[in-house]
């Protein structure tokens, strides 16, 4: 058994891990970034390849380094195909958006972490954590190219993605770290990279289409006008879908994919839930998917992973400099995440809960009746003033869906309460338990109003 010592150990060379490691390295601390994949597979991650808000990404990795991976920056709207209603909705996407070559991007962020001074260990599968008697995480145990290695560190950052194995092994007793996590709060998703001979007509759009289940969608995202990321996913509280077969069937029915070639296939789980209530424990911080930091309505998680990675890196450095890696010192990380985007994601989760309680045809009928720009605001910002509009236009257009629309309206009021509550996320660990109790009371109202099964 080899033992190695670092100031910080980061697990997972995905977006969160690379931004975290780069941040720590830039401050002059020793950081090891551990990745289970071999170097030649580094950065190869299942994704829809849609990147939102790239220009405002954090700066631990220079933007110029990831820009070459942005293969399509001409996308400005979503194209929602609703076959049940014989409708196609063109919905503007607010802000900047690019479809990227995800593997190139993945390699670029790894390079960014390396350039900043992080030591990257590929072929290193983390299997366990080291934890002191007082509960402080003091490192991890891994197999590196087949040999056991103990990594000792003052701080461990978990960037190991959805359903991180580290969290199965840490004893979180006595800490605030969120352990109310189960498979049913995740989405199982699969994608293929498909090339076609003729350019597709919708190369300026992200194409979405409902799956046969309410809690899933198919997507076609154009990396270029002849290279398409085609995929689908479903919430894991539903009967499992046959992802490969279902995608094949849809591809077969679209004439633009006649004679298409599949270049690459990958699948994975992603959190489609609220952010972890707390992603800190003594000596331990979780970032990105490992802390549930994905927009639960769109599945977009790259931006949240980059920001939370950088914030986790900064917090780890602050704790080391304070000489105290306890939860009180690390708490600021939770607060920053909630203030920046966590509150918004938690609010959007209310609409996810709403969706699971309704029949797909009714939902699609309602969607077809809603104004496009309002749906866009709802999807990305989590807030939209649909009240007056609903009273007028949808009342005429959506006969038959009125009940669902009214329930949506009521759910929106509850979502606003959730947002207000998350904007009041406690500044310190004190008050956290009360904050959770009051949040759960709002969620009880959400379940009662929507008739949805409790998600948490
Ligand atoms: C099919 C699919 C489509 C998606 N589409 C989009 C999209 O279009 N846009 C978007 O913004 N987001 C999308 N997402 C979500 C996005 O990919 C994630 O939110 C983002 O990659 C999270 O980054 P991360 O660094 O937290 O985790 P990951 O990118 O998952 O990285 C985790 C890393 O940790 C490594 N690792 C895991 N366990 C261990 C271990 N025990 N030891 C060592 N290393 C380990 C993994 O190999 C991996 O390299 C999609 C997700 C899926 C699954």
């Amino acid at each position: 058994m080899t033992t190695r010592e670092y100031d910080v150990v980061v697990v997972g060379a995905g977006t969160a891990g690379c931004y975290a490691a780069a941040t720590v390295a830039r401050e002059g601390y020793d950081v090891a970034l551990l990745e289970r994949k071999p170097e030649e597979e580094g950065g190869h991650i299942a994704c829809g390849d849609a990147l939102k808000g790239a220009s405002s990404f954090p700066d631990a990795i220079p933007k110029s380094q990831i820009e070459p991976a942005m293969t399509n920056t001409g996308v400005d709207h979503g194209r929602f195909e609703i076959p049940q209603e014989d409708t196609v909705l063109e919905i503007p996407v607010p802000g900047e958006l690019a479809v990227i070559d995800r593997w190139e991007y993945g390699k670029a962020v790894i390079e960014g972490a390396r350039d900043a001074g992080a030591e990257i260990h590929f072929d290193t599968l983390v299997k366990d954590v080291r934890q002191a008697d007082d509960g402080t995480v003091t490192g991890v145990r891994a197999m590196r190219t087949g040999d056991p290695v103990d990594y000792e560190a003052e701080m461990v950052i978990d960037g190991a993605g959805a359903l991180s194995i580290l969290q199965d092994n840490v004893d979180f007793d006595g800490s605030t770290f969120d352990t109310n996590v189960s498979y049913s709060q995740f989405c199982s998703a699969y994608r293929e990279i498909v090339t076609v001979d003729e350019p597709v007509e919708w190369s300026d759009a992200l194409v979405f289409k409902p799956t046969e289940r309410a809690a899933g969608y198919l997507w076609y995202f154009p990396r270029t006008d002849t290279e398409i990321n085609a995929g689908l996913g479903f919430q894991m509280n539903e009967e499992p879908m046959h992802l490969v077969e279902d995608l094949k069937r849809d591809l077969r029915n679209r004439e633009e994919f006649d004679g298409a070639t599949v270049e690459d296939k990958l699948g994975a789980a992603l959190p489609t839930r609220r952010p972890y209530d707390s992603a800190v424990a003594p000596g331990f911080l979780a970032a990105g998917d490992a802390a549930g930091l994905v927009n639960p309505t769109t599945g977009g998680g790259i931006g949240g992973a980059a920001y939370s990675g950088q914030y986790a890196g900064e917090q780890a450095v602050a704790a080391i400099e304070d000489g105290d890696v306890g939860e009180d010192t690390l708490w600021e990380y939770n607060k920053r995440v909630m203030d920046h985007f966590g509150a918004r994601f938690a609010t959007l989760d209310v609409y996810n809960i709403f969706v699971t309680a309704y029949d797909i045809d009714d939902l699609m009928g309602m969607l077809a009746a809603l104004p496009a720009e309002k749906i866009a605001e709802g999807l990305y910002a989590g807030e939209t003033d649909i009240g007056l509009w609903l009273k007028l236009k949808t009342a005429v257009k959506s006969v038959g869906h009125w009940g669902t629309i009214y329930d949506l309206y009521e759910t929106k009021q509850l979502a606003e309460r959730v947002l207000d509550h998350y904007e009041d996320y406690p500044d310190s660990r004190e008050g956290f338990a009360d904050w959770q109790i009051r949040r759960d009371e709002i969620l009880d109202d959400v379940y009662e109003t929507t008739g949805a099964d409790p998600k948490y």
Side-chain angles (χ1 to χ4, degrees):
M1 164 82 69
T2 315
T3 302
R4 308 189 59 141
E5 277 178 46
Y6 293 88
D7 296 313
V8 179
V9 161
V10 179
V11 183
T15 301
C18 288
Y19 275 84
T23 303
V24 174
R26 279 188 194 289
E27 293 298 319
Y29 288 89
D30 286 338
V31 53
L33 175 58
L34 314 183
E35 170 56 49
R36 64 184 171 190
K37 292 179 182 166
E39 180 154 14
E40 58 278 15
E41 274 290 308
H44 191 201
I45 283 169
C47 190
D49 302 349
L51 180 62
K52 199 142 185 317
S55 70
S56 59
F57 255 41
D59 50 14
I61 293 172
K63 273 155 230 143
S64 57
Q65 217 156 337
I66 56 175
E67 266 158 13
M70 296 181 193
T71 45
N72 184 355
T73 51
V75 171
D76 60 6
H77 68 286
R79 188 185 142 90
F80 285 73
E81 300 182 356
I82 310 180
Q84 296 95 318
E85 297 286 318
D86 203 13
T87 298
V88 174
L89 291 175
E90 307 275 352
I91 298 177
V93 176
E96 178 209 13
L97 187 119
V99 185
I100 59 176
D101 180 324
R102 186 64 166 77
W103 201 351
E104 285 307 314
Y105 161 87
K107 288 185 212 164
V109 290
I110 289 173
E111 228 25 67
R114 201 192 317 258
D115 292 350
E119 209 179 286
I120 307 180
H121 295 188
F122 290 101
D123 275 313
T124 304
L125 175 67
V126 173
K127 303 186 94 162
D128 203 354
V129 293
R130 298 162 51 99
Q131 208 167 0
D133 291 343
D134 68 356
T136 304
V137 174
T138 58
V140 298
R141 298 204 159 91
M143 290 299 284
R144 186 172 183 207
T145 52
D147 295 323
V149 183
D150 252 22
Y151 289 88
E152 280 180 21
E154 288 192 59
M155 281 292 316
V156 170
I157 298 177
D158 181 1
L163 299 162
S164 159
I165 191 188
L166 272 75
Q167 293 168 27
D168 293 339
N169 290 299
V170 178
D171 178 357
F172 287 116
D173 255 11
S175 94
T176 57
F177 197 92
D178 197 339
T179 54
N180 185 2
V181 179
S182 81
Y183 278 87
S184 57
Q185 302 151 0
F186 287 72
C187 187
S188 176
Y190 169 76
R191 70 96 177 101
E192 295 181 354
I193 307 300
V194 183
T195 49
V196 289
D197 293 334
E198 296 294 322
V200 294
E201 279 171 16
W202 34 263
S203 60
D204 58 350
L206 298 181
V207 178
F208 298 91
K209 193 177 165 186
T211 56
E212 278 155 30
R213 286 164 221 282
Y217 66 82
L218 275 145
W219 70 79
Y220 294 100
F221 295 170
R223 280 181 171 192
T224 68
D225 56 11
T226 54
E227 188 178 55
I228 316 299
N229 180 314
L232 74 175
F234 67 97
Q235 189 77 19
M236 286 200 261
N237 62 348
E238 305 270 330
E239 280 289 297
M241 277 172 69
H242 298 109
L243 293 172
V244 179
E245 273 312 306
D246 289 357
L247 179 62
K248 206 182 274 173
R249 189 171 336 116
D250 209 70
L251 279 164
R252 233 185 264 130
N253 290 335
R254 301 178 76 98
E255 54 185 39
E256 65 266 49
F257 288 103
D258 270 356
T261 324
V262 177
E263 289 172 11
D264 191 35
K265 304 173 174 188
L266 273 182
L270 72 153
T272 35
R273 48 158 291 148
R274 66 190 180 202
Y276 283 17
D277 287 357
S278 165
V280 308
F284 188 80
L285 289 158
D289 281 14
L293 299 175
V294 173
N295 177 328
T297 49
T298 63
I302 302 173
Y307 270 104
S308 59
Q310 177 152 332
Y311 294 164
E314 288 168 359
Q315 203 62 49
V317 167
I320 291 172
E321 288 179 355
D322 270 13
D324 178 359
V325 297
E327 282 194 326
D328 287 336
T329 318
L330 300 179
W331 193 264
E332 177 64 19
Y333 167 71
N334 284 334
K335 180 77 180 157
R336 280 182 90 184
V337 167
M338 290 303 184
D339 285 355
H340 184 173
F341 52 85
R344 187 161 53 89
F345 287 178
T347 307
L348 288 165
D349 186 45
V350 174
Y351 295 103
N352 252 10
I353 293 171
F354 169 85
V355 164
T356 59
Y358 290 85
D359 175 69
I360 179 74
D361 288 335
D362 206 12
L363 282 172
M364 289 306 127
M366 177 187 71
L367 193 62
L370 288 172
E373 66 277 13
K374 295 297 175 198
I375 299 173
E377 282 168 26
L379 267 177
Y380 296 102
E383 51 189 52
T384 174
D385 179 19
I386 48 178
L388 181 64
W389 195 93
L390 281 178
K391 283 190 193 106
L392 302 171
K393 199 164 171 192
T394 42
V396 181
K397 208 176 158 191
S398 63
V399 179
H401 303 295
W402 178 246
T404 316
I405 289 175
Y406 184 72
D407 291 348
L408 174 64
Y409 181 69
E410 285 209 317
T411 305
K412 181 187 172 288
Q413 316 290 317
L414 290 161
E416 275 167 14
R417 276 174 59 200
V418 169
L419 183 62
D420 286 348
H421 190 63
Y422 271 77
E423 282 175 347
D424 243 355
Y425 186 83
D427 293 329
S428 70
R429 215 160 41 131
E430 226 123 288
F432 177 59
D434 282 347
W435 179 87
Q436 282 185 306
I437 290 169
R438 280 184 286 123
R439 190 272 320 276
D440 290 347
E441 286 167 2
I442 306 175
L443 262 269
D444 284 343
D445 291 345
V446 171
Y447 301 134
E448 199 183 321
T449 302
T450 58
D453 291 334
K455 184 168 175 178
Y456 300 97

